[in-house]
Amino acid sequence: LGQRDAQGIIVESNFKVYAYTTGPLHAALLGLFCRVVARLPNMVVAHLAAETALQAMKRGINIESMIRYLESAAHPKALKRKRDGGAVVPSNVRNQ
C-alpha cells in the first residue's frame, strides 16, 4: 500500500478524528466514544466530544483505552508526526 492508500486514524487538535478505512471495524469502535459525522466509502469522520466520551466511560471504557486505541490504529501520517517530535494524539486532546 502506498501512503495515499494507507489506512489508519488521524486525530487533530480540533478534536476531529479521521479514520481512513474500508472496513466497518474502525467505524464501530470510534462510534463507542466519538460522534460519527460522516461515513464515506474509504473514510469515517468523527468528533471526539465530551458527551460521547462520558457515555463511553459510563459503559466501562476508560480514557486510557480510548487513547491507546487511537494510537495503536494510527495512520502513517500520524506516526510521522510522532517521529518528528509530536504526538499521535495531540496533547490538548489527550489532556481533555
Side-chain angles (χ1 to χ4, degrees):
L1 289 179
Q3 180 85 0
R4 207 169 98 77
D5 302 318
Q7 296 196 17
I9 296 173
I10 296 176
V11 181
E12 294 190 339
S13 59
N14 61 3
F15 297 87
K16 293 273 187 187
V17 179
Y18 300 94
Y20 294 89
T21 181
T22 54
L25 180 61
H26 284 307
L29 290 173
L30 284 174
L32 294 174
F33 59 92
C34 292
R35 183 174 49 85
V36 175
V37 177
R39 290 178 196 239
L40 306 170
N42 63 342
M43 180 200 283
V44 175
V45 180
H47 184 256
L48 187 52
E51 69 181 47
T52 51
L54 287 172
Q55 289 171 358
M57 290 170 58
K58 288 178 184 174
R59 290 188 302 246
I61 302 171
N62 63 38
I63 295 295
E64 293 80 19
S65 295
M66 294 178 213
I67 299 292
R68 203 167 32 248
Y69 168 69
L70 293 170
E71 290 176 338
S72 69
H75 188 276
K77 286 185 180 181
L79 295 173
K80 181 182 182 317
R81 187 167 57 197
K82 183 176 183 179
R83 284 193 305 272
D84 293 343
V88 173
V89 176
S91 59
N92 69 312
V93 175
R94 177 186 293 274
N95 296 333
Q96 193 66 23

